[in-house]
Amino acid sequence: MKILGKYAWALLVVFVAWGCATDDELETPQPDLATADAINLIEQASIAIAADNENWNSIVQDLEGQLETGGQFGYFLQVSNLREYAERGENTGIGCITSEMPTWIRGQLLDIVRGFQGLEVQEPFVILCDSNLEGQSLTSDQFTAVNKIISLYGYNLVGEFQLLVNLENDTNGTSDKVSTSLVEQFSDFELAVNLVIFDFADLQEYEFLRVYFEGEVVTEIPIQ
């Protein structure tokens, strides 16, 4: 009995020590960087991107470093994931990089803040901002050059079946849907419309190729 009591006491000591260690491990260290300061850094990064959009990547990387060093790991992971996602879309074309990238990534940064504050964050709206055409109009020469496949580039692409592609003539009010079988999404940043079943003479019956998302036009290409 003395032996059993001795082992029971030893086990009790072990369990108490383990419990203390577990409690210590569960204590979350306080970040050196206050949450308000982390939010301010993100907002300042957004302003910096607006002023210097070509260097958005280095601005976001600097932000990541400050958040990580300050122990704000929740914000750090969100910002890091955003940067890695945005880097995959760096081949979206000069039209997107110069016109839409700064606005898009700034909005995403501020949505990260809103999400952590428990505020409502709207679903990202589809942005189409460039194409493989040499200009914004579809002409006979360009139609031949792109092998009848129009590649559209942008951000927040949600799936080809949520995007409606129409051929439209505003003058006479005609609108014909391009079959979803001719629309293919290659990535979150690229959508292709295959017009192989059309001759250019067929397309000239229309004035625009338009892409709709939730009833709103997200891009249009004049047909000339």
Side-chain angles (χ1 to χ4, degrees):
M1 292 294 294
K2 288 183 179 181
I3 294 175
L4 289 175
K6 179 178 177 181
Y7 280 116
W9 175 252
L11 286 172
L12 178 61
V13 171
V14 170
F15 280 126
V16 169
W18 178 81
C20 292
T22 302
D23 289 341
D24 290 340
E25 290 173 1
L26 292 176
E27 291 181 4
T28 303
Q30 293 298 313
D32 296 329
L33 183 67
T35 299
D37 293 333
I39 292 173
N40 183 60
L41 285 174
I42 294 173
E43 291 174 341
Q44 291 302 311
S46 174
I47 293 171
I49 291 170
D52 184 14
N53 60 65
E54 290 184 0
N55 291 314
W56 69 267
N57 197 307
S58 60
I59 293 170
V60 175
Q61 287 192 41
D62 288 344
L63 172 63
E64 286 179 56
Q66 291 173 298
L67 294 172
E68 184 177 27
T69 301
Q72 287 286 351
F73 297 112
Y75 283 112
F76 162 73
L77 288 173
Q78 291 281 343
V79 172
S80 179
N81 289 338
L82 171 62
R83 176 183 55 77
E84 291 175 0
Y85 178 84
E87 285 176 347
R88 296 200 298 273
E90 286 189 319
N91 294 323
T92 51
I94 191 67
C96 292
I97 298 298
T98 57
S99 65
E100 294 294 343
M101 167 62 85
T103 302
W104 174 75
I105 202 162
R106 288 172 60 206
Q108 296 295 305
L109 286 171
L110 296 179
D111 277 349
I112 288 173
V113 172
R114 290 179 63 83
F116 272 101
Q117 290 178 326
L119 301 175
E120 182 179 357
V121 178
Q122 294 183 347
E123 288 296 318
F125 195 80
V126 169
I127 298 169
L128 289 173
C129 40
D130 208 345
S131 73
N132 62 337
L133 298 175
E134 295 180 1
Q136 293 302 308
S137 298
L138 179 59
T139 64
S140 177
D141 290 343
Q142 289 173 324
F143 190 54
T144 303
V146 298
N147 294 317
K148 300 188 177 185
I149 297 177
I150 311 303
S151 296
L152 302 167
Y153 307 105
Y155 306 103
N156 304 336
L157 301 193
V158 290
E160 61 265 38
F161 298 115
Q162 292 176 270
L163 297 171
L164 176 66
V165 182
N166 279 2
L167 292 167
E168 300 182 347
N169 187 317
D170 293 351
T171 302
N172 61 27
T174 58
S175 177
D176 292 304
K177 179 181 176 182
V178 175
S179 171
T180 54
S181 65
L182 301 175
V183 180
E184 183 176 3
Q185 184 175 329
F186 292 111
S187 71
D188 291 349
F189 309 97
E190 182 179 357
L191 182 78
V193 181
N194 190 339
L195 300 176
V196 67
I197 65 171
F198 296 92
D199 292 325
F200 191 72
D202 300 325
L203 297 179
Q204 285 183 303
E205 296 179 12
Y206 306 93
E207 296 174 336
F208 297 97
L209 182 148
R210 289 186 173 124
V211 182
Y212 289 82
F213 174 63
E214 296 184 347
E216 294 189 34
V217 177
V218 289
T219 195
E220 66 177 22
I221 298 173
I223 300 171
Q224 295 180 346

